Amino acid sequence: MSLRQWAWLNSAPSEMGCSRREWLQRYAPERADAYEVDAGPLRWLVDLMHDAGPVIREHTMAGTRVRGLRWVEIAAWIEGAGMQDLRPFWRRQVKALSAHYAEQIEASSAIECQPPYQPEDDK
């Protein structure tokens, strides 16, 4: 849940001109913290995904699209970061998180996309 919420907050619909997080901090600072969620005990895994570069933006004839990391990109990150001791299970988790993050970023590019988590007073 928190990963999708962060993706929603980091998305930047073209109509907004900035990320949703920046917009909330600029235009509704008293409400901005209400949209943040705690990653809990697996925060370190989300941080690993962000270290790897959570998504790739590809420019195509149809426009820009966001996708999760491929194995070759994860392997390059592991090699470059000197993290060869990262177990295969955790590598798969980084790949899966990246795919979920990319999926939510894509969905959240539409201005009407609702956040995965809404504060109680917004429901």
Side-chain angles (χ1 to χ4, degrees):
M1 165 84 90
S2 59
L3 183 75
R4 289 191 178 274
Q5 186 74 3
W6 287 328
W8 182 84
L9 285 166
N10 290 330
S11 67
S14 58
E15 299 89 347
M16 294 180 88
C18 62
S19 73
R20 293 174 192 274
R21 178 177 277 117
E22 291 172 61
W23 190 94
L24 282 166
Q25 290 169 345
R26 195 176 301 156
Y27 300 109
E30 70 286 350
R31 307 225 358 91
D33 285 345
Y35 283 88
E36 296 290 345
V37 292
D38 182 20
L42 292 179
R43 175 62 193 243
W44 68 273
L45 186 57
V46 174
D47 289 342
L48 269 183
M49 181 205 60
H50 279 285
D51 286 346
V55 296
I56 302 295
R57 294 190 186 280
E58 292 183 325
H59 302 285
T60 66
M61 296 292 280
T64 303
R65 77 177 196 81
V66 177
R67 66 164 173 81
L69 297 172
R70 293 184 177 138
W71 283 116
V72 67
E73 293 151 348
I74 291 172
W77 162 67
I78 287 169
E79 180 69 29
M83 297 179 59
Q84 289 80 5
D85 60 339
L86 185 63
R87 298 204 179 269
F89 174 82
W90 297 116
R91 295 175 191 202
R92 288 191 297 275
Q93 298 313 304
V94 167
K95 186 172 188 327
L97 288 175
S98 175
H100 289 299
Y101 191 85
E103 181 182 295
Q104 187 65 52
I105 286 277
E106 275 290 300
S108 299
S109 66
I111 190 78
E112 65 275 1
C113 180
Q114 294 297 308
Y117 163 79
Q118 287 193 356
E120 284 299 318
D121 55 348
D122 273 7
K123 292 182 180 175

